[in-house]
Amino acid sequence: EDAGWPFRAVEVSNFHRSLRPREIRHNLVSLRNFLRSPGEARRLLGEFPADLVVGTGGYASYPMIRAAASLGIPAAVHESNAIPGLTTRLLEKHADLIMVGFEECRKNYRHPDKVLVTGTPVRGDFFRLTRKQAKQKLDMDDGRPLIVSFWGSLGAREMNRQMAEFLALEARSGIPFHHVHGAGKVGCIHMAEYLKDADIDLDRAPGLEVREYIQDMGVMMRAADLVICRAGASTISELTALGVPAIIVPSPNVTHNHQESNARVLSDAGGALLVLEKDSSGQLLYDEACRILRDEDRRRNMSAAMASLGNIDASEKIYGAVMALRRPVGK
């Protein structure tokens, strides 16, 4: 609404996989919402006679796509993860079109004829500068490679501990790289403790920086020579669109282990090195980063492989696809 768009909501919530009393109460509320939401969705479509309905794969999409299908309104779903979530799997037979991020995703659907590879949109500010211009804007154009690392908005305690070890190794090696780490809102609280335990004072380590959140992510990733991160759908779309080599440690704490599936798409193509969290350590990540950044041919090949998976025009492809579904006026 703040952006000027009419907004309506259907009350819907997810289900938790636990038998604890608190989770059972949550699931009873979710069941009530699940039973009520189809009627709410149909009422909304009665008030707003849509020409088409587009869902983005989350559980909140389910009642609207089902209602649209029941009313004969064209419906599409965009699934940004390599492995379709439960909502997308339930909606596949009802939707007219399933849009996915990569060609490799097609095999995960029962109706591959409905699947169109569009990619996942990436914000325009990721492309406004060249890599050289981005490095200059960040004042990191002194010839040292730039590592950008982050574990998500909240961070990850164990992975932040490993990154503190990584930063310590960099500092003791004479700071061969620029490195900006986004620790996350929660993770940032613990990073000072981890760095103290590692006997590292970042004020005396020019080129190494820890932030709660990387506000200028578009510029930062454009300038990066290597990214170390999780494998969320938006992140892998940004990496492939920019053609940035990566070391990816997928989160093991996600439904259907979909982050590992996302990461394997990139690693199988040669654009990323996949490290499972159970095998990861600050020393291992540092050693692998050094190998990549000191091997220009390998880095160039990884960049090309990553870019081969990218869809920089994903927004246009999605727009064209859904507009082609739109029913003629008056029909």
Side-chain angles (χ1 to χ4, degrees):
E1 290 178 323
D2 290 344
W5 295 98
F7 176 82
R8 300 289 184 87
V10 172
E11 189 171 357
V12 62
S13 49
N14 63 347
F15 289 91
H16 292 176
R17 303 179 184 187
S18 171
L19 295 178
R20 290 183 297 179
R22 179 180 177 182
E23 307 302 337
I24 291 174
R25 287 194 296 272
H26 171 90
N27 288 340
L28 289 173
V29 173
S30 294
L31 178 61
R32 182 199 66 185
N33 292 339
F34 179 79
L35 295 173
R36 293 173 53 184
S37 62
E40 292 181 13
R42 284 193 294 271
R43 280 195 296 274
L44 278 179
L45 290 174
E47 297 170 13
F48 182 82
D51 296 296
L52 60 93
V53 175
V54 182
T56 53
Y59 62 85
S61 300
Y62 183 83
M64 290 303 298
I65 296 294
R66 281 300 311 271
S70 70
L71 295 170
I73 301 172
V77 175
H78 183 276
E79 174 59 74
S80 53
N81 287 305
I83 299 295
L86 175 62
T87 299
T88 301
R89 293 202 305 273
L90 292 173
L91 288 174
E92 182 180 357
K93 64 181 179 180
H94 303 287
D96 298 285
L97 178 68
I98 306 290
M99 298 172 286
V100 298
F102 305 103
E103 182 61 40
E104 290 81 357
C105 303
R106 193 184 299 275
K107 66 179 182 291
N108 298 318
Y109 292 86
R110 295 181 179 178
H111 303 280
D113 53 302
K114 286 187 176 183
V115 176
L116 176 68
V117 179
T118 61
T120 298
V122 175
R123 300 198 316 265
D125 60 328
F126 278 71
F127 308 105
R128 289 183 185 135
L129 301 176
T130 64
R131 177 164 293 171
K132 181 178 180 180
Q133 289 170 334
K135 285 181 178 290
Q136 289 173 341
K137 183 170 183 178
L138 296 170
D139 197 22
M140 297 181 184
D141 56 343
D142 58 1
R144 283 184 291 168
L146 169 61
I147 297 173
V148 177
S149 58
F150 51 91
W151 305 118
S153 59
L154 297 179
R157 188 161 187 170
E158 172 56 28
M159 296 311 301
N160 276 323
R161 191 190 304 275
Q162 293 185 22
M163 199 48 58
E165 181 186 356
F166 189 115
L167 289 162
L169 290 165
E170 288 176 303
R172 293 169 188 150
S173 300
I175 315 178
F177 317 121
H178 289 283
H179 187 173
V180 177
H181 176 60
K185 183 176 182 180
V186 176
C188 208
I189 298 172
H190 302 288
M191 278 300 289
E193 171 191 337
Y194 300 152
L195 291 169
K196 183 178 180 180
D197 290 344
D199 195 25
I200 295 300
D201 182 358
L202 291 186
D203 291 337
R204 299 181 181 180
L208 306 182
E209 184 180 352
V210 173
R211 303 182 186 180
E212 178 180 320
Y213 185 71
I214 300 175
Q215 297 287 352
D216 51 349
M217 186 63 85
V219 178
M220 195 66 68
M221 285 187 67
R222 187 60 160 165
D225 296 282
L226 178 69
V227 172
I228 305 175
C229 60
R230 293 299 202 190
S234 294
T235 298
I236 63 171
S237 297
E238 291 158 2
L239 291 171
T240 55
L242 294 173
V244 183
I247 298 175
I248 299 181
V249 186
S251 172
N253 305 310
V254 294
T255 306
H256 303 304
N257 200 26
H258 69 257
Q259 283 209 5
E260 184 177 335
S261 299
N262 290 347
R264 289 198 181 279
V265 173
L266 308 189
S267 64
D268 289 349
L273 174 67
L274 169 60
V275 178
L276 297 181
E277 186 170 312
K278 65 182 180 64
D279 302 323
S280 183
S281 69
Q283 182 72 60
L284 183 146
L285 294 176
Y286 176 75
D287 290 343
E288 294 294 352
C290 288
R291 291 188 185 101
I292 293 170
L293 291 173
R294 289 169 179 165
D295 187 337
E296 188 174 341
D297 287 339
R298 182 184 180 188
R299 192 164 76 246
R300 187 184 304 113
N301 290 336
M302 289 180 73
S303 179
M306 194 71 88
S308 72
L309 298 171
N311 278 289
I312 62 174
D313 57 348
S315 296
E316 288 81 1
K317 288 180 178 178
I318 291 170
Y319 175 77
V322 299
M323 292 302 285
L325 289 177
R326 186 180 56 171
R327 62 186 180 186
V329 176
K331 297 293 186 178

